[in-house]
Amino acid sequence: LSSVRGESDFELDWSTEEGKMDALFRFQEGAVDESLIQDIKALNELGEEQLGEIVGVVLEFLTSADSSVLVDGAQNFAEKYGASASALRPSLLGLIVVFKGAARRHLSKELVGQDMMRFGLSQGKAGVVAGLWGKHVTSLSRSMVQQTMAANRLVDLEWSFGVTAASSEIESVGRTFVQVKLQLDCGSGGREDHTIELTLPQFYDFLKEMEKAQSCMNSLSC
């Protein structure tokens, strides 16, 4: 895992009109469990370089969906810094929950950084997390779509383009997005609809992957 020194220079604008940080988290709707807040806040005990390494482990795991990445990464981190792997577990699981929610809601690195500060991380450490999120968000979103389709047979796919006309986040207004609706066969005659929101670059990457899959299937059927 590469060092992330310098990511803490990332500036976060978390002020509201009243000059106070909005307590509403962006990675999910509704109240956030207090235990999750404490698990993420505990990451303040790590140095910025250590935090960058542990966040890198979690993001690599979510992108690859390989559990050994998480297990081995946590163990290597614990051995390197003389920490307890079991003590790291709650914070690792907490980051997984937050990052999955952030990916589903397609949060920018600025909004992820703001959420980290709402959890109680210092601005510098929130910047470390935000910087790494910005580097991994595209591959993570693509991976989540592929994992969903790998687990269930795709029956139908629809998409529509849209532009954000109003939002509680000023930076989101005017943003072009693509809403993709996947209809999946879950077996025993059951079907489920899954809707995801992608940026234009993510959508075009997704189409390329679909075209590759179609070419592969066509070659196998010949």
Side-chain angles (χ1 to χ4, degrees), residues 33-151:
D33 190 86
E34 180 62 28
S35 62
L36 177 59
I37 293 176
Q38 294 305 317
D39 291 340
I40 300 298
K41 188 176 181 179
L43 294 170
N44 264 328
E45 298 178 10
L46 301 177
E48 290 188 7
E49 185 171 354
Q50 294 173 325
L51 176 62
E53 290 187 24
I54 210 66
V55 169
V57 167
V58 173
L59 289 171
E60 185 180 351
F61 159 68
L62 290 174
T63 302
S64 67
D66 183 352
S67 60
S68 66
V69 171
L70 185 65
V71 174
D72 294 344
Q75 188 61 44
N76 292 337
F77 180 91
E79 292 176 357
K80 180 178 179 179
Y81 295 105
S84 168
S86 60
L88 288 171
R89 186 172 182 272
S91 293
L92 289 173
L93 295 179
L95 285 172
I96 291 172
V97 170
V98 174
F99 288 153
K100 281 187 174 182
R104 283 192 292 266
R105 297 170 70 86
H106 185 61
L107 296 190
S108 65
K109 63 181 181 180
E110 289 81 8
L111 293 181
V112 168
Q114 290 170 15
D115 267 4
M116 288 297 114
M117 293 181 69
R118 291 183 181 95
F119 276 115
L121 293 190
S122 67
Q123 182 167 347
K125 291 174 182 176
V128 169
V129 179
L132 285 169
W133 172 260
K135 293 179 179 179
H136 288 80
V137 62
T138 298
S139 58
L140 177 55
S141 297
R142 186 188 306 123
S143 176
M144 290 182 67
V145 171
Q146 292 171 341
Q147 290 169 36
T148 299
M149 293 177 62

Side-chain angles (χ1 to χ4, degrees), residues 179-191:
Q179 190 174 72
V180 181
K181 180 180 178 182
L182 306 173
Q183 186 177 81
L184 305 175
D185 182 353
C186 300
S188 303
R191 294 185 177 183

